[in-house]
Amino acid sequence: MEGQKTTQYLGYALGEIVLVVFGILIALWISNWNEDRKAWEFEREMLAQVRSNLVIDRDNLSGIITNARRAIRSSNKILALEPNSNPPDSLKYWLGEIAQFGRFLPLTNAYEVLKSKGLDQVSNKELRLLLGTYYDNMVYAIRDANEDIKYTFKIDWLPVMKEDIVDFKFGHYLVLEDMQEFTEAGDLRNILIMNIDNYQGSIDYMENGLEVIEKINRIIDREIGKE
């Protein structure tokens, strides 16, 4: 009888231990599940903000690219003018499209929050790589390329405008005292040739940036759609 009681006691004790261990495991699982859920909710919120920032960057870049292409087309139109011919009335609008520059100010606040928390908060490895590529590399290359256009405006166009300007509206038209100079070989036509190269280089950097933005946003859309 004594042995039977001891066995029953040990059985009860073992059962209680199993229940306690089981309860601890369940509590740990719930705790981990809650932590994982919080991490995912944070990741999803940050990715949604990153996507919103990138949409604004995309629209900004698209506008700058459009203006850069207009500048190239207008430069080519001027360079195609017959030597020593009378300048067309549209010349002032072509010059207006050339003597301008775009400012690219990327929105990085959401990405900076992610970096401060650790990019490993982003579970998708490809997305982590693309985010780093865009924000830690491409935005600087794009900004520098656009700064080259701005530098050309300051160094090449401003001195000409200060000396000979008649009328000017940024991005719309430019009238100089002697428009005939654009149909003659000289410094002004050389500026146009250099501008074409600068604008094309800027476009190349921006188009690469747009491709990466589209890839990032496609992945984010997939990731945010997960439950």
Side-chain angles (χ1 to χ4, degrees), residues 27-219:
L28 287 174
W29 180 83
I30 293 174
S31 176
N32 290 336
W33 183 85
N34 283 332
E35 290 301 316
D36 290 343
R37 189 67 183 177
K38 288 178 182 178
W40 168 231
E41 288 175 353
F42 171 79
E43 179 185 355
R44 184 157 61 175
E45 179 183 352
M46 286 298 98
L47 290 181
Q49 291 184 26
V50 167
R51 194 189 190 292
S52 296
N53 287 350
L54 289 175
V55 167
I56 295 173
D57 282 3
R58 180 196 65 197
D59 294 344
N60 188 9
L61 287 173
S62 296
I64 297 173
I65 289 173
T66 297
N67 289 335
R69 286 176 175 156
R70 287 173 179 163
I72 291 175
R73 286 196 300 269
S74 293
S75 296
N76 285 323
K77 289 176 182 178
I78 296 173
L79 292 172
L81 293 174
E82 291 293 329
N84 303 315
S85 62
N86 291 325
D89 294 337
S90 53
L91 177 56
K92 66 179 183 180
Y93 300 110
W94 297 345
L95 290 175
E97 291 179 339
I98 295 166
Q100 53 86 24
F101 56 87
R103 296 179 177 88
F104 177 58
L105 300 173
L107 292 176
T108 63
N109 54 314
Y111 178 70
E112 293 301 329
V113 171
L114 272 176
K115 281 185 70 174
S116 69
K117 299 292 185 179
L119 280 181
D120 57 352
Q121 296 284 333
V122 179
S123 54
N124 187 298
K125 292 182 180 180
E126 182 184 6
L127 181 55
R128 284 203 304 269
L129 176 62
L130 288 172
L131 287 172
T133 298
Y134 177 74
Y135 283 106
D136 296 328
N137 185 4
M138 300 193 81
V139 293
Y140 297 104
I142 293 170
R143 193 165 57 189
D144 289 346
N146 280 292
E147 282 297 312
D148 290 342
I149 303 297
K150 181 180 177 181
Y151 178 82
T152 298
F153 177 83
K154 286 183 175 181
I155 298 302
D156 294 328
W157 286 109
L158 277 184
V160 173
M161 293 164 65
K162 286 179 180 178
E163 183 176 347
D164 298 322
I165 193 166
V166 174
D167 196 8
F168 175 63
K169 184 176 181 181
F170 187 84
H172 293 274
Y173 56 79
L174 168 62
V175 182
L176 301 176
E177 287 186 5
D178 187 6
M179 301 288 271
Q180 187 75 38
E181 291 185 62
F182 289 97
T183 65
E184 302 170 355
D187 290 342
L188 292 181
R189 289 176 70 87
N190 292 336
I191 292 174
L192 295 176
I193 294 171
M194 290 187 294
N195 264 13
I196 290 173
D197 185 65
N198 284 339
Y199 272 117
Q200 187 57 58
S202 177
I203 289 172
D204 291 341
Y205 279 111
M206 289 187 287
E207 286 183 335
N208 289 337
L210 286 178
E211 288 181 8
V212 174
I213 287 174
E214 291 305 316
K215 288 180 182 178
I216 291 173
N217 283 345
R218 282 198 298 269
I219 296 174

